[in-house]
Amino acid sequence: MRSWLDAAADLVIGAQCPGCARPGLGICRRCADRLRPVPRRVPVAGAGLTVVAAGEYRGVGERVVRRWKGAGHRPSAQWAAHAVATCVVELGVESPLLVPVPATRRSRRRRGTWLVDDLARDASALLRRHARMDASVAHLVRLRRQTADQRGLGLIERSRNTRGAFAARRATGLRPVVIVDDVVTTGATMQAVAVALAVAGWNVEGGVAALATPPPGDHRAAVVIGASEG
């Protein structure tokens, strides 16, 4: 019965699994198994900021994220939120304020929404419902200037592009802050956001992302270090 429904959905509305393109209404079981979050600490540019991602930005994970960001595919968005929530739990932060990385005007126009804010809100809801965690979303950071598109930029260029690009509201409490993004590459954006928050007096505990990708120009396999390792 299930296979008939999947085939019918594909014929009628073109529904496919974003991971493997098999007919279906969401992420198929095989791809879901491959996408099972495995939170790991990701080496990022600079020092002092712990960033955790749930997997690597390649293969099934990359296709699912692209489908979410490009077409607003709801099952893919739900998976990304689950991945981010798992990373917040891995950080071990109690009562976190989830701070989404600000989007440029260009990005909001292109996608019609602030995707990372949607991601943070969905993850916060999951944390409250399933982890009984007092998590909430706070818009503490704004863009001081519009940055260039990070795609195609190398490590040094990304750092220059984001340095000083953000400003944060002055701290009004002691709750720990966790920065949220969809995909982390060099970590330059998260570092710049973390600096702005720290200058404003916030207690930044780390950053989380659904997936991590190797830095531009690094042709080796993505290096992902276990969170319990040094």
Side-chain angles (χ1 to χ4, degrees):
M1 185 64 160
R2 174 66 180 169
S3 60
W4 181 87
L5 287 172
D6 289 348
D10 188 55
L11 288 171
V12 175
I13 62 175
Q16 294 178 330
C17 168
C20 64
R22 293 178 63 195
L25 297 174
I27 299 173
C28 73
R29 183 174 301 177
R30 183 173 63 180
C31 287
D33 288 340
R34 294 179 179 177
L35 288 169
R36 193 177 304 279
V38 182
R40 295 287 189 272
R41 185 177 298 175
V42 180
V44 296
L49 182 68
T50 299
V51 177
V52 177
E56 295 180 359
Y57 187 65
R58 64 178 182 177
V60 173
E62 179 179 357
R63 291 192 289 272
V64 167
V65 167
R66 285 182 178 275
R67 181 74 171 274
W68 161 48
K69 296 175 69 172
H73 187 240
R74 188 57 188 164
S76 299
Q78 291 171 333
W79 169 82
H82 173 63
V84 163
T86 304
C87 291
V88 175
V89 172
E90 180 69 20
L91 275 177
V93 180
E94 295 185 6
S95 303
L97 286 175
L98 304 185
V99 177
V101 169
T104 62
R105 290 192 297 268
R106 177 182 61 253
S107 174
R108 292 199 196 193
R109 284 197 304 267
R110 184 170 69 246
R111 298 192 169 102
T113 187
W114 180 3
L115 280 178
V116 178
D117 181 51
D118 296 340
L119 175 63
R121 291 183 182 281
D122 287 345
S124 177
L126 289 173
L127 290 166
R128 291 194 303 270
R129 187 181 311 125
H130 299 292
R132 300 292 188 268
M133 185 180 291
D134 181 20
S136 57
V137 177
H139 299 157
L140 305 180
V141 182
R142 62 175 176 82
L143 274 168
R144 296 176 61 187
R145 58 177 174 80
Q146 296 298 304
T147 57
D149 194 324
Q150 294 275 69
R151 289 175 296 183
L153 298 182
L155 178 64
I156 296 175
E157 290 80 6
R158 283 174 177 245
S159 180
R160 289 173 177 168
N161 186 41
T162 56
R163 187 180 302 127
F166 303 99
R169 288 164 35 193
R170 184 61 54 184
T172 56
L174 300 177
R175 287 183 65 181
V177 166
V178 174
I179 303 166
V180 178
D181 208 349
D182 51 1
V183 178
V184 60
T185 300
T186 65
T189 299
M190 279 198 181
Q191 289 281 4
V193 170
V195 167
L197 286 164
V199 168
W202 293 97
N203 175 26
V204 182
E205 290 289 342
V208 293
L211 297 174
T213 189
D218 186 351
H219 302 294
R220 299 168 296 175
V223 179
V224 183
I225 302 174
S228 62
E229 298 176 4

